[in-house]
Amino acid sequence: MRFRFSACVVLFLLATSLPATAQTAEEAKAFVDSAETVLDRLGERAARAAWVQATYITPDTKKMSARTSETLTAAASKFAAEAARFNDTEGVPYAVRRKLDFLRSGLTMPAPPDSQKTARLTERSVDLESAYAQGEWCPGEASSDRGPFAEDAGCMPLGELTDVMARSRDEDSLRAVWSGWRTVSPPMQDDYTQFVELMNEGARSLGFSDVGAMWRSNYDMPPAEFAETMDRLWQQVRPLYVELHTYVRHRLAEQYGEDVVAPGEPIPAHLLGNMWAQSWTNIFPLVAPEDADPGYDLTERIREEDLSPEEMVEYGEGFFTSLGLDPLPETFWARSLFEKPADRQVVCHASAWDVDDQDDVRIKMCIEPTAEDFQTIHHELGHNYYQRAYKEQPPLFRGSANDGFHEALGDAVALSVTPQYLQQVGLIDEVPPPEKDIGLLLRSALDKVAFLPFGLMVDKWRWQVFSGEVAPAEYNEAWWDLREQYQGIAPPEERPEKAFDPGAKYHIPANTPYSRYFLARILQFQFHRSLCEEASPDGQLDGPLHRCSVYGSERAGDRLYEMMAMGKERPWPEALEALTGEREMDASAMLDYYAPLMDWLREQNDRLGAESGW
């Protein structure tokens, strides 16, 4: 996370303006150079304010962040408007033109030209994110069914609720907790409706039809072509998802009964072990093959070793240094947040930060001693190492080739957290034999494959909202229509119009684009396959893709660093080619990775007579 615009930018812009009509390439370059200098120098202030607000939530820090964000948003929009004046200027060098495009279309939250509306926009933004961060369910105050929870039960924050979702197998408890968390989001709907209206006004002032079109324009292709690319990738992987869905639904019906999980129907969302049914790994014990036990439990081993959060992060750093990359700076260890403080509220959602666009990188994460957090640490450090690799680029080129690359990099590293890697670093004693692979692949697929349609539909919903295709009164209905269409998931109970269930997912109130996560699920396997080939002595895999770890391969590290150091200087197909030799995003590597599982799922579904689809 890095804010590139900050306080005082508006004052700077009011004090210095370009001529009314820009006619030369020299003027365009002067504008870009000035903008880069100012934004790089002042961006750090906004990043530090945001860090304090996220790690020390108080009314004061909320106001500080809101004010800084307001100035930042107004400044970014002002630069975007200025950049648009050079659209028809001839003779502009490639690098300058690319920077102008980034200035014009790179905003996530475009502000209206009116300063009072900008203030309202940033207030709505902070209110939405803070409402989510402070959300909790109080069974004693519940107006709906509290299930088995006592009337005098204390209030439960999201962390406790997700723990119940992960561990409980009592359908009443799961239903109550699922519904309970969704009492947090209805009050957000009016704020979100205003938020969308204000952002759309800002997007239109920059020449875009709406915010969705603006977001989709950031992928070195026309917005419509990007949407088509997303659909193409989904069609590649959909058969694998359908087989997984079919198998899981049958096993859940065995657990809860066909009156709860009906054959041929969507799966009730509260039974999949995750508050948003985006990852199904927590129900692995319910669906695992009989011989799935690999002979080790990483969570148990982490707890046996009594690893501290900092020690878990050290394992992640060790992976990257084994590739020949530099250790993390001392400031990382001094300034990161690894544990939830006992004395204040923080945003525990894991994130990686680049505060000064140089070496002040950090992670913010309330680390628990689990296998999931062990992998998440590797993922977040992937962001930090990417950030450090492109720090020598000009400010506007400091970023990933596209936002999916940033997410994919850490995930590709996590794919190398294999049993072989765990043995190499001393966390397990023996590598399980090949016959244990199906269990490991199924556990992985319950995360990565199960996520795909959710990763696709979140922004599809927002694109419809931004374009006006879905009106506020239809927000919830449209959300569940897409979840059923793509995921084959349904709510466990009738959802009212004002439920605003989208707001119960962090990335909606936080206004974080979600397509990057879908792309990351695809690209990580493409990255992984290429890195594994690079790590192999003859450039050819010497075993199944899912058994490969590039830990210790400096050749793979060199190839990875070459791509990361490019930043966003060149279009993403060139960065992809630098790492993989391919210029098109392709899901075939994911299918290669899960090929043994796909065969097994088909066999199981045929044997069980499980009905496919929904």
Side-chain angles (χ1 to χ4, degrees):
M1 180 176 290
R2 173 68 159 96
F3 290 88
R4 301 186 180 280
F5 312 96
S6 188
C8 302
V9 178
V10 172
L11 298 178
F12 173 88
L13 289 170
L14 292 174
T16 61
S17 59
L18 291 172
T21 302
Q23 299 180 345
T24 69
E26 288 75 16
E27 287 175 320
K29 184 178 184 304
F31 165 73
V32 166
D33 289 347
S34 176
E36 280 198 304
T37 299
V38 172
L39 299 179
D40 187 49
R41 176 168 52 88
L42 298 178
E44 183 178 334
R45 187 175 303 174
R48 294 191 187 282
W51 174 267
V52 172
Q53 194 271 330
T55 59
Y56 205 107
I57 301 174
T58 70
D60 289 332
T61 60
K62 284 170 60 178
K63 276 193 175 178
M64 290 165 55
S65 181
R67 288 176 179 173
T68 307
S69 180
E70 177 185 341
T71 306
L72 179 153
T73 303
S77 297
K78 181 108 176 143
F79 275 121
E82 293 283 1
R85 297 170 60 240
F86 296 93
N87 287 348
D88 299 324
T89 302
E90 297 181 356
V92 177
Y94 169 84
V96 174
R97 174 61 64 196
R98 189 162 176 80
K99 291 175 183 179
L100 287 167
D101 289 342
F102 288 152
L103 286 170
R104 175 174 171 267
S105 63
L107 301 172
T108 298
M109 189 175 72
D114 184 288
S115 61
Q116 291 184 342
K117 290 183 177 180
T118 295
R120 288 205 300 274
L121 174 68
T122 54
E123 287 171 4
R124 296 293 81 75
S125 173
V126 172
D127 288 345
L128 285 165
E129 190 163 1
S130 295
Y132 185 94
Q134 298 177 74
E136 57 186 10
W137 177 53
C138 304
E141 303 171 7
S143 58
S144 58
D145 181 13
R146 64 174 60 88
F149 295 93
E151 186 173 350
D152 60 352
C155 294
M156 303 169 69
L158 180 58
E160 291 183 23
L161 297 172
T162 55
D163 190 59
V164 174
M165 293 291 293
R167 298 176 184 275
S168 177
R169 299 295 180 253
D170 177 68
E171 199 265 337
D172 288 340
S173 296
L174 293 170
R175 183 187 297 264
V177 166
W178 187 94
S179 301
W181 174 244
R182 281 156 182 79
T183 62
V184 170
S185 51
M188 298 180 190
Q189 178 157 341
D190 289 343
D191 280 348
Y192 189 76
T193 299
Q194 294 177 42
F195 186 64
V196 169
E197 292 171 354
L198 292 166
M199 282 201 300
N200 270 339
E201 188 173 335
R204 287 192 292 270
S205 74
L206 298 174
F208 298 96
S209 59
D210 58 70
V211 178
M214 187 173 180
W215 285 6
R216 295 192 300 275
S217 71
N218 283 310
Y219 292 91
D220 295 307
M221 61 175 67
E225 186 178 338
F226 175 69
E228 292 169 0
T229 296
M230 297 278 283
D231 288 336
R232 172 181 61 80
L233 294 169
W234 166 239
Q235 289 304 317
Q236 276 188 279
V237 296
R238 186 178 184 277
L240 175 59
Y241 177 79
V242 170
E243 293 292 340
L244 181 66
H245 181 282
T246 301
Y247 174 75
V248 166
R249 180 178 56 201
H250 187 89
R251 290 302 190 195
L252 289 176
E254 292 178 339
Q255 173 73 21
Y256 295 104
E258 291 189 357
D259 57 328
V260 177
V261 185
E265 296 295 328
I267 301 173
H270 65 308
L271 302 179
L272 290 160
N274 174 270
M275 185 61 78
W276 307 276
Q278 68 183 62
S279 170
W280 305 349
T281 53
N282 290 317
I283 63 165
F284 178 71
L286 300 182
V287 302
E290 291 182 2
D291 60 347
D293 181 7
Y296 72 91
D297 182 326
L298 181 56
T299 294
E300 183 178 319
R301 188 59 185 268
I302 289 170
R303 290 172 177 168
E304 286 176 353
E305 295 289 324
D306 196 25
L307 295 181
S308 67
E310 184 168 318
E311 287 170 330
M312 290 174 66
V313 177
E314 287 172 353
Y315 276 100
E317 180 192 40
F319 186 96
F320 287 93
T321 56
S322 83
L323 303 181
L325 303 178
D326 291 338
L328 292 162
E330 288 300 319
T331 53
F332 170 88
W333 302 101
R335 299 171 184 174
S336 291
L337 185 144
F338 298 146
E339 299 182 75
K340 188 180 189 305
D343 62 342
R344 64 184 190 271
Q345 289 186 313
V346 301
V347 180
C348 273
H349 186 83
S351 56
W353 294 62
D354 180 12
V355 175
D356 66 354
D357 259 355
Q358 290 297 309
D359 286 314
D360 192 353
V361 294
R362 314 173 186 180
I363 64 171
K364 173 188 61 60
M365 180 179 173
C366 302
I367 298 172
E368 297 292 335
T370 65
E372 180 180 1
D373 278 11
F374 187 81
Q375 287 206 320
T376 299
I377 288 166
H378 286 71
H379 170 93
E380 296 302 338
L381 292 186
H383 287 301
N384 288 151
Y385 272 93
Y386 205 161
Q387 290 158 346
R388 294 187 79 197
Y390 55 61
K391 69 180 182 180
E392 300 302 327
Q393 290 285 355
L396 286 171
F397 289 159
R398 292 175 192 159
S400 61
N402 69 40
D403 55 8
F405 274 60
H406 235 309
E407 295 299 328
L409 180 69
D411 283 342
V413 168
L415 288 176
S416 280
V417 181
T418 62
Q420 179 183 359
Y421 162 67
L422 296 175
Q423 184 195 45
Q424 287 178 285
V425 298
L427 283 175
I428 66 173
D429 299 323
E430 296 181 359
V431 176
E435 54 265 28
K436 298 293 187 180
D437 287 357
I438 292 300
L440 293 170
L441 284 171
L442 178 59
R443 185 188 292 272
S444 170
L446 291 172
D447 175 25
K448 297 180 182 296
V449 177
F451 174 84
L452 289 168
F454 184 79
L456 183 68
M457 60 76 49
V458 170
D459 273 354
K460 279 187 173 286
W461 178 82
R462 271 193 289 212
W463 296 345
Q464 293 176 358
V465 168
F466 292 150
S467 70
E469 181 181 346
V470 170
E474 303 164 331
Y475 280 174
N476 221 51
E477 180 182 2
W479 176 260
W480 285 107
D481 284 347
L482 287 169
R483 297 204 70 177
E484 179 174 337
Q485 177 185 349
Y486 287 98
Q487 284 187 279
I489 300 297
E493 59 191 20
E494 181 129 3
R495 304 302 294 159
E497 175 186 308
K498 290 290 188 180
F500 194 53
D501 292 331
K505 174 61 181 168
Y506 169 80
H507 298 75
I508 299 298
N511 197 46
T512 304
Y514 214 71
S515 297
R516 66 184 68 173
Y517 303 108
F518 174 83
L519 295 178
R521 286 299 196 274
I522 303 297
L523 284 167
Q524 65 184 267
F525 292 94
Q526 206 168 351
F527 290 178
H528 181 61
R529 182 170 63 185
S530 295
L531 290 172
C532 286
E533 290 171 348
E534 188 68 25
S536 301
D538 58 359
Q540 298 292 323
L541 292 176
D542 55 2
L545 182 57
H546 64 270
R547 283 201 151 225
C548 168
S549 176
V550 300
Y551 176 75
S553 172
E554 293 194 5
R555 286 181 53 186
D558 289 344
R559 189 74 173 266
L560 181 63
Y561 187 84
E562 178 185 358
M563 184 275 288
M564 294 192 300
M566 293 173 67
K568 54 197 299 184
E569 178 185 17
R570 304 294 303 175
W572 65 260
E574 295 184 30
L576 182 63
E577 186 176 29
L579 180 60
T580 70
E582 302 164 329
R583 294 180 61 88
E584 186 175 80
M585 290 183 283
D586 175 35
S588 65
M590 187 178 207
L591 300 178
D592 288 349
Y593 188 93
Y594 290 110
L597 178 66
M598 181 65 157
D599 292 340
W600 184 85
L601 287 170
R602 285 173 173 159
E603 292 173 2
Q604 295 301 306
N605 289 333
D606 287 344
R607 181 180 64 81
L608 296 168
E611 185 176 346
S612 179
W614 54 87

